[in-house]
Amino acid sequence: MQTFLWMINGLRYHTPSLSCGQHKLYERSQRVRMRQQQGGFLVTIAGVMLAIIMFCGWYLWDEGVFQSEEEQIAKLTSAIVPNSSVVFDRNGEKIGEYYNFYHVFIPYAQIPKTMVDALLSVEDRKFFEHKGVNWRSMGRAFLAIATSGRFRQGGSTITMQLVKNYLLTREKKVSRKLREIILSYYVEKNLSKERILELYLNTMYMGHGAYGVGAASQTYFGRPLDQLNVHEFALLAGLFQAPSAYDPHKNPDMAIKRQRVVIDTMVVSGVLPQTDAAAAKNRKLEFKPWTPLNETVAPFFLTWVRQLVSEKLGDEGETINDRGMKIYTSLDKKLQDIANTSMQHTKEQLLAIQSSLKLKKNDRVESALVAVDPTTGSVLAMNGGREFKESQFNRAVASKRSPGSAFKPVVYSLALEKNMSWADLVFVSPLNLGGYKPKNHDGEDMTEVTLIKALARSMNTPVVTLAQKFGIKNIIERAVAMGVKSDMPDEIGIAIGGFSCSMLDIARIYATIANDGVLFDTWAIQKIVDRDDKVLFDASLIPVKANQVFSREIAQMLRSGLQSVLTVGTASSVADLAPVAAGKTGTSDDSRDNWFAGFTRNTVVVTWVGTDGHAPMGKAASGSALALPQWNDFIRQTINGPRAAEPWTNSEELAFATFDPDYGTPAEHGVTALFRKDHLPKASQASEDIKTIQREKGGSYRGLKIDD
Amino acid sequence: MIQSDGNVQTINMAPRHYMVAEHCVDVLNKVTPNLYASVAPLSQDQRDRLPWLKRIAQYKTTDCENFHRRGTIMKDFDHIYADHDDKIGVILPPVAANEAALQLILGELSAALKRNGTLYPERVIITRRVDKREDASLRAAAELIHLNRVSLLIGINSTQTQALAKIADVAQVPVFMVNPTTPHAKTRQTMRIYPPIAALARKLLDVYRANGITHTTVLYPRGSDLDLLDQLKKIGGKSIYFMESSYDPSSPTDILNSTRGATQRMAMLSSPTQGVLILDNFKMVRHLVNIIRGAAGSMKLVLTGNQQWRSPALVHPREEGLEGALFVDFIGSYADVPSGLAAPIPESPFFTTAQAASRIDYQIIGHRLGTLAAQVLRSPWSRQRIAVELQSLTNSWDNYFPVGAPAFDAQRDSSWPAFMFKVEGESIQLSQNGSSP
């Protein structure tokens, strides 16, 4: 360039001094020379320009600007907008979503016009007029860049932004911009304006993990998009430019400032009257604190449902995220909400206990709850731990713990089936079975007791004595029939819960009792449909498996016995619930596991408290001290709220009888339970079949006491 | 003839003495006060119904000098002390602490009388339910003696039996005491009809001696009767020392602490082998054995017990710590209990059903009472001779009480068989000696 200027200047200022004739001749020759020189210069220029063009062409070719568009465009034309798979409760209420990136797909036709207007006003006012590129905007952007030297203004149309986000990288290079322009042109040729908007509004990142306006609406306002108002649409429209910078949770002032800009542009665009704009600016934005639904309603249940969906759909289940499936479940959100509040109500107690224990690092006191409808087997509520955010391990399903005495009803069902009654006496001496020495929780092991007292007071040795009589094999068979799916060792200790099982195992045991001896396997998924409403799974099409484990009479007698646990037993702190509820405490060795399993006619609830590290919980800990409070809190709210307790039914072959819990003899003020009509309590309750012992009131056995 | 037995004067009036004036004087001087004492509990109305009482009040010692007068005096006294109407008086509390047991005894008493020839036992047995206070019992006894003219009295409650022992002394009436604790009357009129606590004690002492045991720890529930321990101490003398440890049977903690403490005290002694006597039922025995085993370490202990151990549940399921343990009982094979008691034998003859075991314990007392009473009713013995004659009586009518053996021992306790059992696995076996395994 400097050489060129020197040549021009040389011609103008370095002319030598000559005569007139010479001068004219000289000028002519100079003009000829100049013409000759100018022609060479133009050739040179042309050559240089050609070289530049060739270089740019080579460069753009190398950068892929001129690559085949068909393949790229196909990504957009055949794009399926990701959509979260949604989980519903039994009443059709949404309780969770499965996604990798949070999407809530909304077809263009269902996107409110105001949303579109707000977006177009601030991002691409000429969207419906241009062919993918708005050259005037581009020019303005170029000038802004040229004057400031910085990328302050994009100038990209919505189509270009879509192309950039969907098909290209976010690098700021000329080649990428050219490619964006070219592809935008082709996109406009292949897709309708509405489809482009649909893709744009549903796929652009909106901050906080939300993609698209549907997800953003839920994320920021906790409401579906069609329930928003203009001031809220304006806020969402403002987010497209810089979702992080205008994040209403992080930078509310910036977000509101941006919202006002959008409202102003809507006025300028003529889509919003000035008066409405003023009103919109004055309306307060109420942001919902961002807590993903998955973590608030039933997070543990959702993890279980995901696992079940995978099992039911095979490999398809693994890609459950973002597939837009609709999964209808058995959960009752109202009960789940109660479960969540129960967990909160008992949290303080658990924290207090935790602070009193010396736990290993990362170990903590946990609790879990599961509620089941015994008449169908459907899982109604589930909490697999105290705080999902802190520990995602689902103890309601995946944890295998010792059930302790909560297992005993299995043994008692066999006893009742062997024609024993609640008034029969059983032996309570300490046992030593080849080194295995079962102990009673409160040391009560020196007398014989009635069956009902042994159950109500949760005595171990009578149950082991009964188990010896019945045989371990029969107990395992009965447990399996009552729904225990966990492995059980061939050891006598199982009779008092000396093995590991899940909370669902225990729930099934009690569901069998509550449902008059009929077991329905527990289930959680009612129906799965894909995004096109094609049914992938429908539980109603599968024949229901109902297993009559034992007669309704046995179940009802067992239930009446479990009611006594609430009236005179280890759960007497909730004695007022006994008319409508029954249950059993369970405490494993050193109170490492603390259970309460109880039920009304239509709801079975199992609660557990312990630590993942199996830490001893202290001498004061027990099922009644730790697990019962949560059960109590849950069941009271349930029966006083969404799921009132139904009345018990009693077989005509049974009759209530009141008897002395110590001696099994009829008594006016004693324990009331159901008996077979031909096996009511008698003055003498000894049963030869089971080696029971007649106890004399006021004197020890063969004590030769007469009157002193 | 007047016999002196300590401070109490007793008489033995036989017809041959009627003609002796000195004897008549002695009777008037020494027996009359006892007679007055025996009628003292009666009301005035009741005393007025006794014509001989007025006559005796008018007798003077000078009357003994007159042969005929002396004969009248002696006949009156003979009527009072020798005659009886073949009735049995039973003094009972209004309601016994274990009324069911009492009924079992009375029922079997009646049944045994019937089996032994008494057609209407209900007419023979006169039962008086009176307050346990001594005066009430004395009055009832006086009525039975003087108004009903019973042949013998039976008492069960210890307070009442003590009152009967008193009146037995002054009224010369035989009394069957159905409890292990009431001291015998000094006039030898009292006889004890009760399972043989002393014999059981001797059996246990044999065990301790056979094993060279000089120290035995005795565990028992607080408030329980310690008749066996008393007998052990009495018979064992200074040859063996008993260390007692009691516990509150309703407090598991107390049971645990007391038993552990007793076991630790045992460990402090230098005796290589020590005895443990548990005077509690089979349920508690299993419990205590586990505690003792846990605290005893390598000590060699000989576990012993009483009849309260006897139950299938002692050995079902097998309790390792009880292997070789010994206990004494007054019932051997249930196949040999007296006829009529009907002991069911579901498994081993050493066990019966729970209800039968408890029942037979009491029925066998009633049976013993009934069979002895039947002997009295059948005999021509005068009332004051009954006790003497009974002491020379031998068993001849039953397979449970050894035939030919004296019915009463020298201490006037009815003789009963005593057995020793050894725990072997899931059963018990009769043991001939007391050596430890």
Side-chain angles (χ1 to χ4, degrees):
Chain A
M1 183 62 75
Q2 283 180 341
T3 309
F4 177 70
L5 290 175
W6 176 81
M7 287 171 68
I8 300 294
N9 289 337
L11 286 173
R12 189 173 293 171
Y13 302 112
H14 297 283
T15 306
S17 55
L18 297 170
S19 63
C20 184
Q22 286 177 323
H23 186 75
K24 287 180 179 175
L25 188 64
Y26 175 75
E27 282 186 344
R28 192 180 298 129
S29 64
Q30 285 296 319
R31 278 198 290 271
V32 171
R33 243 176 69 193
M34 276 185 66
R35 275 190 208 110
Q36 289 172 339
Q37 284 177 343
Q38 281 176 340
F41 174 70
L42 287 172
V43 169
T44 305
I45 291 291
V48 170
M49 290 296 287
L50 184 61
I52 290 169
I53 290 168
M54 285 178 67
F55 175 77
C56 286
W58 171 81
Y59 173 75
L60 293 173
W61 179 264
D62 189 53
E63 290 286 315
V65 171
F66 303 114
Q67 282 178 359
S68 168
E69 289 78 18
E70 287 179 14
E71 190 183 336
Q72 291 278 62
I73 296 304
K75 287 183 186 173
L76 267 179
T77 53
S78 62
I80 297 173
V81 178
N83 189 16
S84 304
S85 292
V86 184
V87 186
F88 299 95
D89 83 337
R90 60 171 48 210
N91 300 313
E93 196 167 346
K94 190 162 93 173
I95 57 169
E97 293 149 303
Y98 297 126
Y99 53 83
N100 293 322
F101 305 102
Y102 183 33
H103 291 85
V104 178
F105 176 73
I106 303 172
Y108 180 77
Q110 292 173 22
I111 296 173
K113 184 173 179 301
T114 315
M115 179 73 248
V116 176
D117 289 343
L119 171 72
L120 296 184
S121 297
V122 72
E123 290 291 336
D124 191 356
R125 223 174 289 166
K126 301 290 183 187
F127 175 73
F128 284 102
E129 296 165 16
H130 60 65
K131 304 274 185 191
V133 180
N134 186 338
W135 294 106
R136 185 179 288 182
S137 294
M138 288 276 288
R140 272 202 308 271
F142 182 74
L143 275 178
I145 293 166
T147 52
S148 68
R150 288 186 297 170
F151 285 92
R152 295 179 66 182
Q153 201 171 327
S156 297
T157 63
I158 279 175
T159 313
M160 290 168 72
Q161 289 180 50
L162 184 68
V163 165
K164 182 175 74 178
N165 282 283
Y166 221 95
L167 305 176
L168 302 175
T169 63
R170 297 182 67 83
E171 62 183 343
K172 290 179 176 176
K173 288 166 70 175
V174 175
S175 60
R176 204 269 294 153
K177 197 69 182 174
L178 287 172
R179 179 89 179 133
E180 189 179 303
I181 291 167
I182 293 166
L183 289 175
S184 297
Y185 175 73
Y186 280 104
V187 166
E188 289 275 346
K189 275 186 72 179
N190 287 282
L191 295 177
S192 68
K193 287 284 186 185
E194 289 76 12
R195 175 62 177 163
I196 291 168
L197 269 179
E198 185 182 72
L199 288 172
Y200 184 86
L201 284 163
N202 279 296
T203 58
M204 297 299 284
Y205 183 61
M206 304 286 285
H208 264 290
Y211 288 80
V213 289
S217 170
Q218 291 286 0
T219 301
Y220 295 118
F221 301 112
R223 284 179 286 150
L225 190 69
D226 58 3
Q227 291 181 14
L228 300 191
N229 295 306
V230 62
H231 65 302
E232 292 159 329
F233 287 127
L235 183 122
L236 293 185
L239 291 174
F240 285 98
Q241 189 183 61
S244 296
Y246 300 130
D247 183 333
H249 294 308
K250 289 181 189 168
N251 305 310
D253 293 342
M254 290 280 284
I256 291 169
K257 203 178 280 183
R258 176 66 179 165
Q259 177 227 23
R260 296 189 174 211
V261 170
V262 174
I263 292 170
D264 289 340
T265 57
M266 289 174 77
V267 174
V268 172
S269 302
V271 295
L272 186 69
Q274 187 65 51
T275 50
D276 290 354
K281 284 182 183 176
N282 287 332
R283 267 186 97 169
K284 192 182 174 188
L285 284 162
E286 290 183 358
F287 302 116
K288 182 186 156 196
W290 171 235
T291 43
L293 187 65
N294 285 6
E295 294 180 13
T296 51
V297 180
F300 293 101
F301 180 77
L302 291 176
T303 60
W304 184 46
V305 166
R306 174 193 288 280
Q307 179 191 334
L308 294 178
V309 171
S310 294
E311 287 170 7
K312 292 195 185 305
L313 303 185
D315 291 342
E316 289 181 78
E318 293 173 10
T319 54
I320 182 173
N321 287 356
D322 300 332
R323 283 186 62 198
M325 291 193 293
K326 295 185 185 71
I327 301 160
Y328 299 93
T329 69
S330 62
L331 193 100
D332 187 331
K333 185 172 177 296
K334 289 173 187 166
L335 261 64
Q336 182 63 40
D337 289 341
I338 291 173
N340 294 341
T341 54
S342 298
M343 193 69 81
Q344 289 304 316
H345 290 166
T346 52
K347 190 176 174 183
E348 271 186 31
Q349 186 200 14
L350 299 184
L351 288 174
I353 290 165
Q354 184 168 295
S355 63
S356 69
L357 301 174
K358 288 182 180 176
L359 299 175
K360 287 180 185 171
K361 194 180 176 187
N362 298 328
D363 200 10
R364 50 185 241 140
V365 175
E366 284 288 356
S367 71
L369 176 149
V370 66
V372 171
D373 180 350
T375 60
T376 61
S378 57
V379 174
L380 300 170
M382 178 180 283
N383 262 337
R386 219 173 67 198
E387 289 282 354
F388 185 77
K389 283 181 187 171
E390 295 178 26
S391 170
Q392 288 79 48
F393 181 54
N394 190 350
R395 292 156 195 86
V397 175
S399 183
K400 295 283 179 75
R401 306 293 297 234
S402 168
S405 301
F407 179 77
K408 287 176 183 171
V410 173
V411 182
Y412 283 105
S413 76
L414 284 169
L416 294 171
E417 211 165 51
K418 301 273 183 193
N419 213 31
M420 290 186 76
S421 79
W422 290 122
D424 283 348
L425 290 162
V426 284
F427 191 41
V428 202
S429 169
L431 295 173
N432 185 345
L433 309 172
Y436 171 61
K437 297 179 179 179
K439 300 288 180 199
N440 295 323
H441 182 68
D442 52 2
E444 283 184 294
D445 49 4
M446 48 282 307
T447 58
E448 65 279 355
V449 290
T450 56
L451 215 60
I452 199 129
K453 188 174 178 183
L455 171 69
R457 301 287 289 271
S458 203
M459 293 179 176
N460 286 336
T461 47
V463 178
V464 174
T465 305
L466 291 173
Q468 284 185 302
K469 173 81 180 170
F470 304 144
I472 300 168
K473 193 180 166 191
N474 287 328
I475 292 169
I476 293 175
E477 276 180 12
R478 172 53 55 87
V480 170
M482 290 178 83
V484 176
K485 297 179 180 177
S486 304
D487 291 337
M488 300 178 74
D490 189 11
E491 294 168 1
I492 192 72
I494 62 168
I496 53 174
F499 69 104
S500 297
C501 67
S502 71
M503 290 182 76
L504 282 177
D505 285 333
I506 297 299
R508 283 187 285 268
I509 288 174
Y510 285 81
T512 308
I513 302 166
N515 197 35
D516 283 351
V518 179
L519 170 68
F520 288 95
D521 198 4
T522 45
W523 56 272
I525 298 177
Q526 195 153 14
K527 193 175 181 181
I528 305 172
V529 298
D530 67 8
R531 65 188 304 148
D532 300 322
D533 287 337
K534 180 187 164 192
V535 176
L536 303 177
F537 170 81
D538 190 347
S540 64
L541 302 177
I542 300 170
V544 177
K545 284 183 188 173
N547 182 18
Q548 182 85 45
V549 182
F550 39 69
S551 69
R552 61 196 289 255
E553 285 77 19
I554 299 292
Q556 289 166 2
M557 283 192 288
L558 195 50
R559 178 255 299 165
S560 75
L562 290 167
Q563 283 177 281
S564 74
V565 175
L566 274 62
T567 53
V568 296
T570 50
S572 55
S573 61
V574 295
D576 61 310
L577 287 173
V580 294
K584 180 79 192 74
T585 51
T587 310
S588 68
D589 286 349
D590 299 326
S591 304
R592 292 167 203 272
D593 298 284
N594 304 277
W595 299 74
F596 192 82
F599 56 88
T600 62
R601 178 70 185 86
N602 55 1
T603 312
V604 171
V605 185
V606 181
T607 53
W608 168 90
V609 174
T611 79
D612 292 342
H614 292 257
M617 299 283 285
K619 286 183 180 175
S622 65
S624 57
L626 298 186
L628 180 59
Q630 193 182 352
W631 183 89
N632 177 34
D633 193 279
F634 178 89
I635 206 75
R636 278 182 202 279
Q637 290 188 63
T638 301
I639 60 181
N640 292 327
R643 208 171 167 85
E646 295 170 7
W648 305 113
T649 54
N650 297 319
S651 164
E652 289 181 355
E653 293 178 21
L654 303 177
F656 282 105
T658 304
F659 60 102
D660 188 324
D662 288 322
Y663 304 100
T665 48
E668 194 178 341
H669 303 289
V671 179
T672 302
L674 281 170
F675 289 78
R676 292 181 190 89
K677 282 181 177 171
D678 59 353
H679 197 169
L680 292 168
K682 295 173 187 168
S684 171
Q685 281 297 327
S687 160
E688 295 307 318
D689 182 47
I690 201 75
K691 287 210 187 312
T692 57
I693 299 140
Q694 176 74 15
R695 186 185 194 194
E696 291 173 43
K697 228 169 185 172
S700 61
Y701 178 58
R702 289 199 68 197
L704 286 175
K705 285 265 188 183
I706 306 170
D707 193 48
D708 289 301
Chain B
M1 189 178 79
I2 299 170
Q3 296 173 328
S4 176
D5 188 356
N7 297 324
V8 180
Q9 297 291 315
T10 52
I11 58 170
N12 188 0
M13 292 183 298
R16 63 180 180 276
H17 300 299
Y18 287 181
M19 305 308 285
V20 180
E22 292 80 3
H23 181 69
C24 174
V25 172
D26 278 350
V27 167
L28 282 178
N29 287 341
K30 297 180 180 175
V31 177
T32 307
N34 286 342
L35 179 63
Y36 286 151
S38 74
V39 297
L42 297 174
S43 65
Q44 187 60 49
D45 286 350
Q46 289 172 324
R47 284 199 291 267
D48 291 344
R49 286 159 56 194
L50 302 173
W52 47 263
L53 192 58
K54 287 180 184 171
R55 290 200 298 271
I56 286 174
Q58 293 167 358
Y59 293 147
K60 299 170 185 169
T61 51
T62 52
D63 292 336
C64 292
E65 294 170 5
N66 182 288
F67 177 80
H68 297 287
R69 193 80 177 144
R70 186 168 68 227
T72 307
I73 292 170
M74 297 312 290
K75 279 182 183 175
D76 273 340
F77 276 94
D78 208 29
H79 174 70
I80 297 164
Y81 285 100
D83 290 352
H84 56 98
D85 287 353
D86 293 329
K87 296 268 194 315
I88 298 167
V90 184
I91 306 282
L92 298 175
V95 180
N98 189 350
E99 185 64 26
L102 185 61
Q103 292 302 327
L104 284 170
I105 292 170
L106 295 178
E108 189 55 29
L109 165 66
S110 179
L113 284 174
K114 201 163 191 173
R115 278 199 297 273
N116 286 280
T118 304
L119 285 177
Y120 303 105
E122 64 278 8
R123 295 181 190 174
V124 171
I125 301 169
I126 303 171
T127 304
R128 289 288 166 83
R129 295 266 189 180
V130 295
D131 191 273
K132 288 180 186 176
R133 284 179 296 114
E134 184 184 77
D135 58 340
S137 302
L138 285 173
R139 181 173 180 174
E143 288 170 1
L144 287 169
I145 293 166
H146 297 298
L147 300 177
N148 300 104
R149 303 190 63 75
V150 296
S151 310
L152 61 89
L153 289 170
I154 295 175
I156 286 174
N157 175 269
S158 60
T159 310
Q160 290 182 325
T161 317
Q162 280 177 33
L164 296 188
K166 273 188 184 175
I167 207 163
D169 275 337
V170 295
Q172 295 290 290
V173 176
V175 173
F176 284 175
M177 302 191 298
V178 189
N179 68 59
T181 52
T182 308
H184 279 295
K186 290 168 181 170
T187 53
R188 300 180 183 273
Q189 287 292 339
T190 52
M191 325 289 285
R192 194 183 310 281
I193 312 290
Y194 199 76
I197 305 299
L200 296 177
R202 280 189 283 274
K203 282 270 182 190
L204 283 173
L205 286 168
D206 287 345
V207 172
Y208 302 141
R209 288 192 192 102
N211 289 281
I213 292 170
T214 55
H215 290 80
T216 292
T217 296
V218 186
L219 302 169
Y220 57 87
R222 208 162 290 145
S224 63
D225 292 330
L226 297 174
D227 313 321
L228 184 60
L229 179 59
D230 291 341
Q231 289 294 327
L232 283 167
K233 287 177 180 173
K234 185 177 168 186
I235 300 167
K238 294 182 179 176
S239 64
I240 186 162
Y241 181 69
F242 292 96
M243 299 176 294
E244 298 177 34
S245 178
S246 64
Y247 46 79
D248 176 1
S250 64
S251 165
T253 310
D254 191 47
I255 291 166
L256 185 68
N257 293 338
S258 299
T259 310
R260 275 192 187 149
T263 313
Q264 285 158 3
R265 283 193 293 279
M266 280 189 256
M268 293 165 70
L269 298 173
S270 57
S271 311
T273 306
Q274 295 183 47
V276 177
L277 174 62
I278 301 175
L279 299 177
D280 207 335
N281 59 53
F282 55 89
K283 299 161 288 185
M284 188 69 84
V285 168
R286 293 179 64 105
H287 184 62
L288 297 183
V289 163
N290 276 298
I291 299 171
I292 292 168
R293 284 181 70 199
S298 59
M299 264 192 295
K300 189 183 178 190
L301 301 174
V302 177
L303 283 170
T304 52
N306 62 357
Q307 78 284 348
Q308 292 185 77
W309 286 33
R310 182 86 168 264
S311 166
L314 179 80
V315 287
H316 288 302
R318 177 174 176 264
E319 171 55 57
E320 198 180 333
L322 279 172
E323 190 65 33
L326 299 153
F327 66 90
V328 287
D329 195 358
F330 50 87
I331 292 177
S333 164
Y334 277 101
D336 295 335
V337 293
S339 56
L341 299 194
I345 302 172
E347 293 178 15
S348 155
F350 293 144
F351 294 124
T352 185
T353 60
Q355 303 97 316
S358 181
R359 169 173 59 83
I360 287 170
D361 280 350
Y362 298 111
Q363 282 185 330
I364 209 164
I365 296 173
H367 171 86
R368 191 70 163 148
L369 277 173
T371 49
L372 289 169
Q375 278 293 96
V376 170
L377 299 184
R378 281 206 305 261
S379 72
W381 304 326
S382 63
R383 191 163 71 186
Q384 75 270 35
R385 288 292 301 171
I386 290 173
V388 178
E389 297 293 341
L390 282 174
Q391 283 176 58
S392 58
L393 197 68
T394 56
N395 297 333
S396 61
W397 56 83
D398 206 297
N399 60 347
Y400 173 69
F401 298 99
V403 175
F408 291 91
D409 60 18
Q411 286 73 40
R412 285 175 277 152
D413 291 345
S414 67
S415 58
W416 293 61
F419 304 89
M420 178 169 294
F421 289 93
K422 181 186 272 186
V423 175
E424 291 182 1
E426 289 199 333
S427 66
I428 57 171
Q429 299 298 331
L430 269 174
S431 177
Q432 295 304 314
N433 60 57
S435 61
S436 67

